[in-house]
Structures are given as C-alpha cells and as structure tokens.
Amino acid sequence: MERSGQRSNGLSPTGQAGEGLRASPLGTLEQALREQLLRGAQYQQLSAPQLYYRQADAPDRVTLVLSGLARVFMMSAQGRQITVRYAHRGDLLGVAALLAGPPPASVQALTDCELLHLDAAFLRELAGREASVALLLAEETARQLYGVLAVLAGQAFGSVRQRLAWHLLELAAEQPEASPFTVPGSQQELADAVGSVREVVARTLQDWRASGVVATGPGGVQILDPAALHRELGRQGET
C-alpha cells in the first residue's frame, strides 16, 4: 500500500487501512478479496477545510473514509451550495462513478480526514469476475441513493431551522470527545451547508441563543441543549 501524507494516530497506514476496510461495506467480502483491494491502495490525510475534489473533476478511484467527516455538495452557477451527503468513517466515495463517470458534486473535508484510495480500474475488473463484489457495489450504490434522497427531501421540505438543526447535530456528533457539542465554522459556511443565506442562519442562531439552545463565538457554535435542538426536527410550519 502506498502512502501520501502524515499519520496522526498510533496505527500504521497499513493497519489503519485493514481496520477501515473491515468497518466499511467492503468488510463483508472474503479476506482474500479484501487483501487484493489493499494492494496498490493509497493512504492520504486531508486537512479541513480542504477540497478532496471539485465537481466533474473526480479522480478515477474509490475512496474509503478511514477517519473524519467530509461533505459531498453541489454548487450552482451563482455559487450557492447544497450539501447532499456526509461521509463518515467506513463510508465510500466514488462508487457510482465507477460506471457513470465523474459526478456533478464536490467533496470537502469538514474535519481532518484520513482516506484510503482504491484503484477504480481494478475494482471494476474485480466486480466483472466476482459476483459478490458486483452485488455489494450495487447495494452500496442503492444505499447511497436512498441516503441522498432523504437529505434532499429534508432540504426541500424542511424549514431552515430544521435543516440547520440537523446539520449542527450531525457535525457535533463527529467532534472530538473534548468538545462533543461544539461545531466549528462561520455562519456563511453553515448557510452554504443547508442551502440558505447567512442572514437567515444568523436570525435562527440568535433565536436559539436567546432560548439557551446554543452559544456562538469565534470558535463556532456550541450546542448547550441537544435535546431542544433535536426537537426542532419535528416542528412544523416554521421557516
């Protein structure tokens, strides 16, 4: 396995890769097939908020997230952004691109990420001769599709408050244990993530500050009452 970037934990890239592969959808494959996938794989660190790739410019490889959190987002011609998926530890990026080509989406690290790049050409060849691999990739593509549909439904039908609450809770769950309820980022970055504008996000955060739900500062948004924020997801009829 080739290496790119620096390690940030006690595991070697090889050990990290094997453990990550077992925790991913590919972990259900026979050990011999997993070992084949690791041959020629590349290990990389990606620092937040670095872009992994821009839309229509995706590399010809499937990427396994070993650690960290990344977001998959689309951008309009006017520069508006909408997040369509979050990739956590054990998630795969680029599966659909194996057959359909580069997606109209970009990927950005929200926290520092460790990635394992699998050779797409080899994976396609393996799927062509191993029915279990082909079925697994089809199932993973369907799972990701349903996940994106659920996110888009929330973005289309949910209020800004609901979308922002969901986004904050999602990101807070990925923060280090030392600050489990703090979400870094500016109001503009939050607006981009939920498909809104900074002014609307600022008003929502102001309401939540007044209610004691969150606190804001230069470091980001601190969630003081996660239960109250979660209740926002079930509220109807508010923007």
Side-chain angles (χ1 to χ4, degrees):
M1 185 185 70
E2 299 179 20
R3 175 180 174 179
S4 172
Q6 301 294 319
R7 280 186 287 125
S8 62
N9 54 42
L11 287 176
S12 68
T14 302
Q16 178 90 329
E19 182 179 284
L21 199 63
R22 287 190 296 272
S24 77
L26 298 172
T28 60
L29 296 176
E30 296 178 359
Q31 182 176 350
L33 293 178
R34 295 201 305 269
E35 291 175 352
Q36 290 183 60
L37 286 174
L38 287 177
R39 295 187 190 127
Q42 294 183 325
Y43 172 90
Q44 180 190 9
Q45 271 197 329
L46 199 65
S47 299
Q50 186 177 351
L51 284 174
Y52 170 39
Y53 60 77
R54 297 182 184 276
Q55 59 189 47
D57 191 32
D60 189 28
R61 58 193 180 196
V62 172
T63 296
L64 169 64
V65 179
L66 297 174
S67 68
L69 177 69
R71 73 173 180 125
V72 181
F73 67 97
M74 303 179 73
M75 182 181 294
S76 72
Q78 293 74 35
R80 291 281 298 276
Q81 298 181 14
I82 182 171
T83 300
V84 297
R85 183 189 170 207
Y86 291 100
H88 310 74
R89 178 180 181 273
D91 285 343
L92 294 169
L93 298 166
V95 174
L98 280 174
L99 297 176
S106 303
V107 178
Q108 179 187 32
L110 290 175
T111 65
D112 292 349
C113 293
E114 292 179 293
L115 308 175
L116 183 69
H117 305 304
L118 307 174
D119 184 78
F122 175 71
L123 195 52
R124 276 192 294 266
E125 186 273 331
L126 191 62
R129 60 182 171 85
E130 296 285 348
S132 61
V133 177
L135 179 60
L136 184 149
L137 293 177
E139 291 174 341
E140 175 62 12
T141 300
R143 186 187 71 81
Q144 292 186 14
L145 172 62
Y146 292 158
V148 169
L149 290 176
V151 171
L152 290 178
Q155 295 282 12
F157 307 129
S159 67
V160 172
R161 294 176 71 97
Q162 290 170 326
R163 300 200 305 268
L164 184 58
W166 179 80
H167 181 73
L168 290 174
L169 289 170
E170 178 79 4
L171 297 192
E174 296 297 323
Q175 300 310 307
E177 292 183 4
S179 55
F181 300 121
T182 299
V183 178
S186 67
Q187 292 180 355
Q188 184 59 60
E189 289 171 331
L190 292 174
D192 288 341
V194 301
S196 185
V197 295
R198 189 192 65 78
E199 292 78 9
V200 175
V201 167
R203 286 199 301 269
T204 303
L205 291 175
Q206 184 178 18
D207 288 346
W208 288 344
R209 282 199 306 269
S211 302
V213 177
V214 304
T216 59
V221 179
Q222 183 180 15
I223 301 175
L224 304 177
D225 191 345
L229 200 58
H230 189 268
R231 286 194 293 272
E232 291 282 352
L233 302 180
R235 299 177 68 168
Q236 303 294 325
E238 295 190 27
T239 60

